[in-house]
Amino acid sequence: MPRFPSYDSTALGYHVLGSGPPLVCLPGGPARASSYLGDLGGLSRERTLIKLDLRGSGDSAVPDDPTSYRCDRMVDDVEAFRVHLGLDRMDLLAHSAAGNLAELYAARHPDRISRLVLVTPGLRSVGVETVGFAEAVAARGTEWWYAEAKAAMDGWQEAAARGAGPDEVNPLRKGAAAFAYGRWDERARLHAEADEWERPEAASAGFYAGFAPDTPAVRAALAGLAAPVLVVAGELDPAPSPAAAHDLGALFPHAEVVVQDDTSHFPWLDDPARFVKTVLTFLTEE
C-alpha cells in the first residue's frame, strides 16, 4: 500500500486498481475508507482507479491537528496527492460527502482538473438545498423494510438537527441504510454493515465540524470552470435527490446530469453496467 506525505507531513495512503488512464477517486462517508468504492462496478477494467484514503481513515495516518479533518482544509490534501502522482491535470471522481471536497478543489484549482465526475454528491459546499428529500423517502413506501427504516430516518434527522452525539446518531443512521440502495438484499446489507468499521468516528465527525463555506464565492468560481462535469444521481436517492442534482449541475458551465433509474446512493452497486457506461462515455467523449 503506497503512502505519501501531505502538506503537513501527515502520511496518506491510497490504492491503485485496474488499468488504463488514471482516475483519481475521493471516497465519501464522510471519511469512509476508500475500500467501499470497490472497483466502481467494473470501471477498473478501463481506467486505473487511484483511490485516496482521507486523513484518519483507511490506511492514512491520524493527523496531529484534528481541525485538519475539516472538508475545506482537505483541499490541500487533494492538491498534494495530485503533485505526488505527477499529474499536471487529472480526471477526478468524488462520491457523496467527498463531492463537497471536489467542488471546493475545483473552485480553488480549476486548471488542475481535466474532467470532474460527481457521484450522488454532497451539496453543502455550494449551498444547494436538499429539495425532494421527503418525496424520495415516501416513494419507497411499498418496500417491505419501509416502516422500520422510515422510523430510523426520522429519528436520525431529528437527532442530527439537535446535535446529538454519534452514540445516538449512528444506530439510527444504520437503521435507515436501506434508503441508500436500490435493492435491500444481502449484498446491500453487507456493504452497509462495512460502514461501521470503515468510517472512523473522529475523522467523520471532523469533516463538517466548523465547516462554513463561502458558498457565493464557491459558486462564482465554479461558474468559470472550463472542465466538463458529470453529475450522476440515483432516481431513488433522497440526498441528493434528482432535483437537487440538477440544481447542482446548473452551477457549472459545462455539466451533464444523468439520473440512473432504479438506483439510489451507490449507483455502481445497483446497476454497475449502466454506471460504467455512463462514466466511460463522459470520460472519453470529445
Side-chain angles (χ1 to χ4, degrees):
M1 183 278 303
R3 276 182 156 194
F4 73 98
S6 191
Y7 68 94
D8 61 351
S9 299
T10 300
L12 301 184
Y14 61 99
H15 305 263
V16 180
L17 178 66
S19 60
L23 177 62
V24 176
C25 303
L26 305 179
R32 189 170 176 179
S34 64
S35 54
Y36 85 93
L37 295 172
D39 67 352
L40 287 173
L43 190 57
S44 63
R45 290 192 290 270
E46 301 290 339
R47 301 293 299 233
T48 299
L49 307 182
I50 310 176
K51 305 186 297 181
L52 178 66
D53 283 335
L54 302 185
R55 53 179 54 218
S57 72
D59 291 317
S60 289
V62 173
D64 293 332
D65 179 6
T67 66
S68 67
Y69 285 130
R70 201 176 67 201
C71 176
D72 54 329
R73 293 195 59 185
M74 284 198 285
V75 170
D76 290 333
D77 286 337
V78 179
E79 176 61 3
F81 192 34
R82 180 196 66 78
V83 172
H84 169 73
L85 295 173
L87 299 173
D88 181 59
R89 301 168 73 218
M90 61 183 171
D91 290 341
L92 182 65
L93 179 148
H95 174 242
S96 190
N100 293 290
L101 177 54
E103 290 150 16
L104 292 173
Y105 182 85
R108 198 181 303 177
H109 300 284
D111 295 337
R112 298 305 185 182
I113 293 181
S114 297
R115 293 177 186 266
L116 177 61
V117 181
L118 300 171
V119 182
T120 60
L123 307 171
R124 295 192 194 190
S125 291
V126 292
V128 170
E129 296 294 326
T130 54
V131 293
F133 181 89
E135 293 80 0
V137 169
R140 310 297 295 273
T142 60
E143 301 277 7
W144 62 269
W145 45 261
Y146 178 79
E148 184 175 348
K150 175 63 162 58
M153 177 69 82
D154 291 344
W156 175 19
Q157 299 303 306
E158 186 276 329
R162 57 180 166 80
D167 289 345
E168 182 178 355
V169 170
N170 287 344
L172 294 167
R173 187 178 191 268
K174 183 178 180 180
F179 285 105
Y181 300 87
R183 296 178 305 281
W184 189 233
D185 52 18
E186 184 65 16
R187 173 199 49 79
R189 285 192 291 273
L190 289 173
H191 189 263
E193 287 171 3
D195 175 85
E196 191 169 347
W197 56 267
E198 288 176 335
R199 195 163 52 91
E201 183 177 310
S204 182
F207 192 83
Y208 290 126
F211 182 50
D214 183 349
T215 54
V218 176
R219 286 179 174 225
L222 295 180
L225 183 67
V229 178
L230 171 67
V231 180
V232 180
E235 178 193 20
L236 306 174
D237 193 3
S241 66
H246 279 286
D247 288 344
L248 172 63
L251 301 180
F252 299 95
H254 310 290
E256 174 187 4
V257 179
V258 174
V259 179
Q260 283 197 205
D261 297 340
D262 302 317
T263 70
S264 188
H265 202 60
F266 304 95
W268 69 90
L269 292 176
D270 293 330
D271 189 346
R274 184 176 178 198
F275 177 81
V276 169
K277 181 179 180 180
T278 297
V279 174
L280 280 180
T281 298
F282 168 75
L283 291 175
T284 57
E285 66 188 358
E286 294 296 329

